[in-house]
């Protein structure tokens, strides 16, 4: 019974979160917690999360560029929830809030600038297409939408902040993914492929489209003790170039990044788990010259509820 | 006597008129607003090169609002600094809106940002 609960929580702490992996664009960031195939019928999970990210390196291609006009960091919190509508179908959501999103300029006379506020809200539907309990093999496709509920035109001292400091992305985005996992006794192996398309932002004084995002992740988890398990994820991310007005391609946008994401999960009580991960860029190729993320860390608490009286 | 009364009446009338006259030295943030000029020291910049943009406007109780479709603005009020990184090469538009409690005026200026 304890093992069942642990496995439930183990599976639960990896539920899907967005994979919007930009370092310095607007909108909710990636937190990198792993993914699961689905939820039990009538099981609910609530997860408040916190993430800190720091960026101070400009890259040109795969090499550090010889420029350093600014640095950036943010403190971000979000609330994630997931619910099993049936044994195969689950719904997941997230809403995020930037405590601060700050740019520190290395330019004489330039003051630091900070944005803050509500980011985006995301909703996903996941279906367990293949759920082989005996062989412990799952294949789960998912579709989702990200809605820019927060502010995208925040001003400070009557000056509109740049897009990189706006809390919301300002763009309606659609995503689709597929998750495959195979569980063994002490460990599991998983694979995820994800794609996101962003609608064009067309307002009075602004015309912009984020590049499409494609992410492929491989991860393995290992049970260290009955309460502690570790995960190592390798993630490849490709982002296309953005476009501005008249569909003009912006050359210094988009690129490819490979991350290593180590993670620890600890079960405090049977229905409460803690997770900690770090986002470590392993390889980068940035189009043109762009600022790139140096590192980020995230922390999450997961509380599970089971409303299914049959379990 | 009659002339004296008329004279006194005239004095009182003049005093009343002066009391009702608007004191231009006290601004109440109303009245017409007009941006006379919106200029930048440099209108062609390389990425991460800064320039000063200055708005000259007339009116009372003015508030200056700034936005750029691409790039970044630092400072506030009549004069700001502008810069755009490599993410924002091309022709960018800076919009200045000057307003008071009743009226406003808007002007734009375009700057060309070249690669680094």
């Amino acid at each position: 019974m304890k093992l069942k609960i642990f496995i439930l929580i183990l599976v639960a702490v990896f539920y899907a979160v967005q994979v919007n992996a930009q370092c310095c664009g607007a909108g909710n960031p990636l937190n990198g917690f792993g993914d699961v195939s689905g939820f039990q019928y009538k099981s609910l999970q609530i997860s408040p999360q916190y993430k800190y990210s720091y960026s101070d390196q400009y890259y040109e291609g795969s090499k550090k560029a010889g420029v350093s006009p600014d640095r950036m960091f943010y403190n971000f919190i979000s609330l994630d929830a997931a619910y099993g509508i049936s044994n195969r179908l689950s719904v997941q959501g997230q809403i995020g809030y930037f405590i601060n999103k700050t740019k520190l300029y290395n330019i004489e006379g330039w003051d630091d600038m900070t944005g803050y506020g509500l980011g985006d809200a995301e909703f996903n539907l996941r279906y367990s297409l293949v759920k082989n309990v005996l062989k412990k093999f799952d294949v789960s496709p998912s579709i989702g939408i990200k809605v820019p509920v927060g502010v995208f035109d925040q001003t400070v001292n009557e000056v509109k902040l740049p897009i990189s400091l706006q809390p919301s992305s300002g763009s309606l985005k659609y995503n689709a993914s597929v998750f495959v996992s195979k569980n063994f006794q002490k460990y599991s192996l998983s694979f995820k492929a994800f794609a996101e398309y962003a609608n064009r932002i067309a307002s009075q004084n602004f015309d912009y489209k984020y590049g499409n995002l494609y992410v492929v992740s491989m991860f393995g988890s290992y049970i260290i003790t009955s309460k502690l398990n570790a995960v190592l994820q390798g993630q490849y991310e490709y982002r296309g170039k953005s476009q501005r007005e008249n569909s003009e391609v912006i050359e210094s946008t988009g690129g490819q990044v490979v991350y290593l994401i180590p993670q620890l999960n600890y079960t405090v009580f049977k229905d409460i788990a803690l997770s900690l991960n770090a986002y470590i860029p392993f390889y980068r190729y940035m189009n043109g010259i762009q600022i790139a993320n140096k590192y980020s860390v995230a922390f999450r608490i997961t509380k599970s509820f089971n409303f299914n009286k049959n379990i | 006597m009659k002339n004296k009364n008329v004279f006194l009446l005239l004095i009182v009338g003049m005093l009343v008129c002066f009391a009702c006259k608007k004191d231009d030295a006290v601004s109440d943030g109303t009245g017409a607003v007009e941006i006379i000029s919106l200029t930048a020291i440099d209108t062609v910049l390389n990425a991460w090169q800064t320039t000063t943009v200055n708005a000259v406007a007339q009116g009372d109780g003015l508030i200056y609002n700034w936005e750029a479709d691409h790039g970044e603005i630092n400072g506030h009020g009549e004069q700001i600094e502008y810069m755009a990184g490599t993410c924002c090469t091309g022709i960018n538009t800076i919009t200045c809106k000057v307003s008071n409690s009743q009226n406003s005026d808007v002007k734009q200026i375009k700057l060309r940002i070249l690669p680094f």
Side-chain angles (χ1 to χ4, degrees):
Chain A
M1 183 59 182
K2 279 185 183 176
L3 182 62
K4 236 186 219 177
I5 292 166
F6 174 75
I7 290 170
L8 195 68
I9 293 172
L10 183 65
V11 161
V13 298
F14 290 117
Y15 71 79
V17 292
Q18 67 206 13
V19 286
N20 202 13
Q22 73 264 45
C23 122
C24 312
N28 294 7
L30 176 71
N31 60 32
F33 290 107
D35 213 326
V36 289
S37 55
F39 289 87
Q40 296 276 354
Y41 172 55
K42 284 190 177 179
S43 69
L44 170 70
Q45 286 178 15
I46 306 288
S47 296
Q49 305 184 35
Y50 164 78
K51 181 173 185 180
Y52 172 80
S53 176
Y54 179 75
S55 309
D56 68 351
Q57 305 169 66
Y58 274 77
Y59 274 73
E60 183 174 14
S62 59
K63 297 190 181 341
K64 284 187 185 177
V67 293
S68 182
D70 50 53
R71 295 168 289 147
M72 282 189 68
F73 69 89
Y74 63 72
N75 289 281
F76 175 80
I77 55 175
S78 68
L79 185 65
D80 292 57
Y83 182 73
I85 298 171
S86 70
N87 274 332
R88 287 184 179 266
L89 184 67
S90 59
V91 60
Q92 297 151 350
Q94 182 192 76
I95 188 154
Y97 182 91
F98 281 96
I99 300 168
N100 56 28
K101 207 173 182 186
T102 299
K103 205 166 203 180
L104 309 161
Y105 293 96
N106 299 327
I107 300 170
E108 193 177 335
W110 276 56
D111 298 325
D112 303 336
M113 289 201 285
T114 296
Y116 64 93
L118 209 57
D120 299 337
E122 182 171 355
F123 305 96
N124 290 286
L125 272 179
R126 167 157 294 162
Y127 184 76
S128 291
L129 190 66
V130 174
K131 194 172 183 177
N132 192 321
V133 178
L134 279 174
K135 292 185 178 177
K136 296 178 185 175
F137 179 72
D138 286 306
V139 178
S140 299
S142 169
I143 55 171
I145 186 170
K146 192 177 292 181
V147 183
V149 297
V151 171
F152 185 62
D153 56 358
Q154 188 173 69
T155 61
V156 175
N157 292 331
E158 286 80 48
V159 174
K160 186 175 167 185
L161 294 175
I163 187 174
S164 56
L165 295 183
Q166 295 290 345
S168 171
S169 67
S171 172
L172 186 65
K173 297 176 181 176
Y174 307 98
N175 69 68
S177 64
V178 64
F179 180 81
V180 180
S181 71
K182 168 73 179 165
N183 292 319
F184 301 90
Q185 191 162 3
K186 290 269 286 183
Y187 66 96
S188 70
L189 297 172
S190 306
F191 166 85
K192 178 174 179 177
F194 171 92
E196 182 180 84
Y197 171 86
N199 265 359
R200 179 173 289 275
I201 305 167
S203 59
Q204 187 182 4
N205 291 330
F206 190 65
D207 186 330
Y208 195 86
K209 184 188 178 305
Y210 298 102
N212 294 340
L213 175 66
Y214 305 98
V215 180
V216 173
S217 303
M218 300 269 310
F219 40 103
S221 67
Y222 183 76
I223 299 172
I224 300 171
T225 70
S226 61
K227 282 182 174 285
L228 183 68
N229 89 301
V231 180
L232 185 63
Q233 182 181 168
Q235 181 172 286
Y236 168 78
E237 175 189 309
Y238 172 88
R239 183 178 282 282
K241 294 178 182 177
S242 299
Q243 294 176 14
R244 51 185 290 171
E245 60 275 5
N246 303 318
S247 298
E248 181 185 340
V249 174
I250 305 170
E251 291 301 324
S252 283
T253 55
Q256 303 170 60
V257 187
V258 176
Y259 295 96
L260 275 179
I261 308 169
Q263 179 176 326
L264 281 176
N265 305 299
Y266 182 74
T267 305
V268 181
F269 300 112
K270 62 177 183 179
D271 54 355
I272 297 178
L274 308 177
S275 300
L276 179 70
N277 79 14
Y279 240 72
I280 305 165
F282 181 74
Y283 169 80
R284 302 177 186 84
Y285 185 92
M286 313 301 284
N287 296 327
I289 303 175
Q290 299 178 57
I291 193 169
N293 181 236
K294 190 167 191 175
Y295 67 87
S296 60
V297 291
F299 176 74
R300 181 173 75 182
I301 301 172
T302 301
K303 173 82 169 88
S304 303
F305 304 86
N306 192 342
F307 302 112
N308 188 353
K309 291 176 184 170
N310 293 329
I311 293 180
Chain B
M1 183 66 177
K2 191 177 176 184
N3 287 339
K4 193 178 177 181
N5 286 341
V6 169
F7 178 73
L8 280 172
L9 206 61
L10 275 171
I11 297 292
V12 170
M14 282 169 66
L15 283 173
V16 168
C17 286
F18 278 123
C20 291
K21 186 179 177 184
K22 199 169 181 179
D23 186 354
D24 289 335
V26 176
S27 167
D28 58 1
T30 58
V33 174
E34 183 188 2
I35 300 177
I36 307 298
S37 68
L38 183 64
T39 55
I41 293 177
D42 298 297
T43 56
V44 179
L45 303 162
N46 286 104
W48 293 308
Q49 184 184 348
T50 63
T51 189
T52 302
V53 183
N54 197 66
V56 176
Q58 63 182 22
D60 294 327
L62 299 179
I63 296 171
Y64 295 76
N65 283 274
W66 297 88
E67 70 174 83
D69 60 351
H70 301 279
E72 303 170 55
I73 294 173
N74 209 268
H76 59 276
E78 303 167 341
Q79 189 177 86
I80 53 95
E81 294 266 306
Y82 172 80
M83 170 190 73
T86 51
C87 66
C88 311
T89 54
I91 297 176
N92 300 337
T93 303
I94 298 174
T95 303
C96 179
K97 179 180 177 183
V98 182
S99 59
N100 59 20
S101 60
Q102 285 191 342
N103 297 296
S104 65
D105 193 14
V106 179
K107 248 187 172 61
Q108 292 183 328
I109 184 171
K110 292 191 184 295
L111 306 182
R112 178 183 288 275
I113 307 300
L114 302 173
F116 180 65

